Amino acid sequence: MDSQTSQPSPASPSPHTFQVDLRGLVDLLSHHLYSSPRVYLRELLQNAVDAVTARRAEEPDAPARVRLFASDGGLRVEDSGIGLTEADVHSLLATIGRSSKRADGLQEARSDFLGQFGIGLLACFVVAERIRVVSRSARTPGAPPVEWTARDDGSYTVRTLPDDERPEPGTTVHLVARAGAGEWLGEQRVLQLARDFGSLLPYDVRVGDEAVTDLPAPWDRPYPSPANRRVALARHCHELFGFTPLDSIELNVPLAGIRGVAYVLPSAVSPAQRAGHRVHLKGMLLTERAEQLLPDWAFFVRCVLDTDSLRPTASRESLYEDETLAAVREALGERIRSWLTGLAAGDPERLAAFLAVHHLGVKSLARHDREMLRTMLPWLPFETTDGRLSLEEFAQRHPVVHFTRTVEEYRQVAPIASAQGVGVINGGYTYDSELVEALPSVRPGTVVAELDADTVTAHLDAVDPAEELALSGFLAAARAKLDPLGCDVVLRSFHPLSVPALHLDDRAARHEQARAEAEAQADDLWAGILGSLRGSAPRARLVLNHLNPLIRRISSLRDAELVGTATESLYGQALLMAQRPLRPADSALLNRSFIGLLEWATHKNTTRGDAAHGEPAQGEDGH
């Protein structure tokens, strides 16, 4: 590392000062433009690679080398690129001075002078206190080498050097670490950063004797068989992302200049989780956190790709949202969609393994894509009263496809509907009700209906009128007890026999219940307004099972108070069986009915104990 301070030549003016506040610019770069000091190495690599590219455009046989040497708290980067003349240096510095006065000028300066030492080189001040550049132009063979030395206080010098200082065209950049930043210029850190950023660069890049590039890219290499390719890509995914993928999807979009691979995650993730993808721009790693690269529904993959068409932001750490990115996003989504349809057509075992983990992502896609819904119809799993089935299989079994919109509604009716032969799909999970409702569009003739309390009740067997008339007193007492809760009581016969009571309501009943509660708590004005909103007053129902022994026992009671307590207990039990959230009034009812039954049982046992000592129990005549 050359650490000698460069002095201006006698013919050169005294040290200059940047026409911008360099300290402010470094603060802008380090705290606002770049996410980490690590990007300084990417900027050095990018400048060197672009310089080589520029020279080879004019001299196709020119050497293509980039060498990095780290030692003694400094870093030296050498390239065989196009180089600079003294006039180039002054022109560039003037441009930096003008451009950096405006935020949008930063990107302009970067795009115009990338591959020379522009804003990207100034980013090195994030880790360096001094930058020295020695360059010789390949465009102007007779031009002498030029030296540019800059310090973090904003001063710089420019001078020409003797020919023997740099006999060959190209550029060498020397960095001297600033206080506290020496770790960023250490050999192992430089090697790790160079491999991270530059593994796909098209030129010979080395840190000391260690190769940085690893070409061709894993997805472009030839393999003996598809199985070998899958194994190799799985190994690459594990090294890159830390997981072994379920599968890999080729991302080849020649029109957009894109080559890469998408790795399918082996475990489920939330659809709201923003995926981070690795994007290389012409071989240089641009970002590891490209979130907008794929459609939102494709949250089950992680991508790594190389492109020459996408536009980076000013920081070169993310992608610029424009029409090109939108087109690429659509094209990559189509590749993933094609992979899914290919599995459905030719590899059902791998598709089943994928859907076992990521059915939510496919359902999200199928909501908006009728062709995908048609393709996935035989495969997407749904919770139904017949078990876990696809919509296609369920529709083949049932002439009417009933569904509920909430998990709570499904839990209320699933056991009863199943026993009565009524097929029901649980549409309470994410996307499920939308997909069920879309079923007729891809399966003409299918009848889809939302299941409500009336439908369930209609499928339950009516009780013989004479028997129901005989129990009219019991039913009247039960209805009177639950009427304040907005719940009716009906008597039916249904299976399974073990279920004594079924609580049924629907959204309309719950809305009416909420309206009634709000009306009861409101002042006169709001009570009048809420009262005017009352419709046909749909109500919840407690359906008592006439076949259940407990219901038969309770219906034979003659004590009206005990009938009311028992009815409250049945109501509370039915709510718990449906796994419905309990309102404060419901919790109070459960406590009240439990205490009431305990008091009744205790009182009955006490009176029987008195009768055993010669006194008749209450309600008995002593015989």
Side-chain angles (χ1 to χ4, degrees), residues 407-605:
V407 175
E408 290 80 10
E409 290 174 357
Y410 178 80
R411 288 171 178 166
Q412 286 182 75
V413 303
I416 310 304
S418 179
Q420 306 305 124
V422 179
V424 183
I425 296 175
N426 183 359
Y429 296 118
T430 307
Y431 310 135
D432 283 8
S433 61
E434 296 175 68
L435 292 174
V436 175
E437 289 182 297
L439 187 56
S441 68
V442 296
R443 196 177 189 275
T446 304
V447 179
V448 173
E450 182 177 354
L451 191 70
D452 56 22
D454 289 334
T455 304
V456 177
T457 306
H459 280 82
L460 304 180
D461 295 333
V463 177
D464 181 83
E467 292 189 54
E468 186 167 3
L469 181 61
L471 297 176
S472 59
F474 159 72
L475 293 173
R479 287 166 180 154
K481 196 67 177 178
L482 296 187
D483 184 68
L485 298 173
C487 183
D488 289 333
V489 177
V490 296
L491 189 65
R492 293 289 188 274
S493 296
F494 57 86
H495 293 275
L497 300 180
S498 58
V499 178
L502 175 65
H503 181 268
L504 293 178
D505 66 357
D506 50 28
R507 284 176 298 163
R510 288 194 291 276
H511 291 166
E512 171 58 23
Q513 189 177 61
R515 187 209 59 77
E517 290 175 356
E519 181 181 357
Q521 298 173 8
D523 57 29
D524 292 342
L525 173 61
W526 283 108
I529 294 174
L530 292 170
S532 68
L533 298 177
R534 185 187 298 112
S536 57
R539 291 162 65 87
R541 295 171 198 169
L542 183 67
V543 183
L544 304 180
N545 188 358
H546 186 54
L547 301 179
N548 181 268
L550 177 61
I551 297 299
R552 288 182 175 272
R553 178 72 180 89
I554 293 175
S555 64
S556 66
L557 295 174
R558 295 292 179 263
D559 187 330
E561 184 176 349
L562 182 57
V563 167
T565 301
T567 302
E568 288 182 329
S569 297
L570 291 169
Y571 176 80
Q573 182 190 24
L575 287 179
L576 293 175
M577 287 180 62
Q579 302 182 46
R580 290 288 307 279
L582 300 180
R583 299 170 298 162
D586 298 329
S587 298
L589 175 144
L590 276 171
N591 292 332
R592 184 171 64 249
S593 62
F594 180 70
I595 293 172
L597 289 176
L598 282 179
E599 289 179 345
W600 178 80
T602 303
H603 175 68
K604 183 174 182 180
N605 288 337

Side-chain angles (χ1 to χ4, degrees), residues 9 99 197 205 237 270 342 348 401 409 450 466 511 520 592:
S9 63
S99 299
F197 285 118
V205 182
C237 176
S270 167
V401 177
E409 290 174 357
E450 182 177 354
H511 291 166
R592 184 171 64 249

Side-chain angles (χ1 to χ4, degrees), residues 243-493:
F243 65 86
T244 301
L246 282 177
D247 205 350
S248 56
I249 307 168
E250 183 180 357
L251 301 179
N252 183 9
V253 188
L255 290 178
I258 286 178
R259 289 285 297 165
V261 62
Y263 293 116
V264 181
L265 291 166
S267 56
V269 293
S270 167
Q273 180 177 329
R274 303 296 294 177
H277 307 291
R278 289 176 66 93
V279 176
H280 296 255
L281 184 59
K282 299 179 182 178
M284 181 71 71
L285 179 66
L286 180 70
T287 178
E288 299 172 286
R289 300 184 301 274
E291 296 182 349
Q292 70 274 46
L293 186 65
L294 294 181
D296 290 341
W297 55 261
F299 55 80
F300 49 82
V301 298
R302 295 291 179 271
C303 293
V304 54
L305 56 83
D306 188 25
T307 177
D308 57 13
S309 64
L310 297 178
R311 177 182 169 193
T313 58
S315 68
R316 293 178 54 81
E317 292 188 278
S318 58
L319 297 171
Y320 190 84
E321 186 68 51
D322 57 12
E323 292 182 358
T324 302
L325 179 57
V328 165
R329 183 161 50 235
E330 183 177 348
L332 295 180
E334 182 58 38
R335 289 292 306 122
I336 298 173
R337 184 187 289 107
S338 298
W339 169 78
L340 280 171
T341 55
L343 287 187
D347 201 339
E349 290 185 2
R350 284 170 65 200
L351 178 62
F354 166 75
L355 289 177
V357 178
H358 295 298
H359 59 273
L360 200 59
V362 180
K363 286 181 177 180
S364 173
L365 171 59
R367 284 186 310 152
H368 307 293
D369 190 323
R370 289 291 179 265
E371 192 57 38
M372 181 57 63
L373 177 59
R374 190 188 312 278
T375 302
M376 293 291 109
L377 201 58
W379 306 102
L380 289 174
F382 289 79
E383 182 181 0
T384 79
T385 49
D386 293 352
R388 200 159 180 80
L389 299 176
S390 70
L391 289 182
E392 175 68 27
E393 189 173 357
F394 187 86
Q396 289 174 357
R397 295 185 182 188
H398 299 278
V400 178
V401 177
H402 288 104
F403 73 98
T404 63
R405 291 193 183 275
T406 67
V407 175
E408 290 80 10
E409 290 174 357
Y410 178 80
R411 288 171 178 166
Q412 286 182 75
V413 303
I416 310 304
S418 179
Q420 306 305 124
V422 179
V424 183
I425 296 175
N426 183 359
Y429 296 118
T430 307
Y431 310 135
D432 283 8
S433 61
E434 296 175 68
L435 292 174
V436 175
E437 289 182 297
L439 187 56
S441 68
V442 296
R443 196 177 189 275
T446 304
V447 179
V448 173
E450 182 177 354
L451 191 70
D452 56 22
D454 289 334
T455 304
V456 177
T457 306
H459 280 82
L460 304 180
D461 295 333
V463 177
D464 181 83
E467 292 189 54
E468 186 167 3
L469 181 61
L471 297 176
S472 59
F474 159 72
L475 293 173
R479 287 166 180 154
K481 196 67 177 178
L482 296 187
D483 184 68
L485 298 173
C487 183
D488 289 333
V489 177
V490 296
L491 189 65
R492 293 289 188 274
S493 296

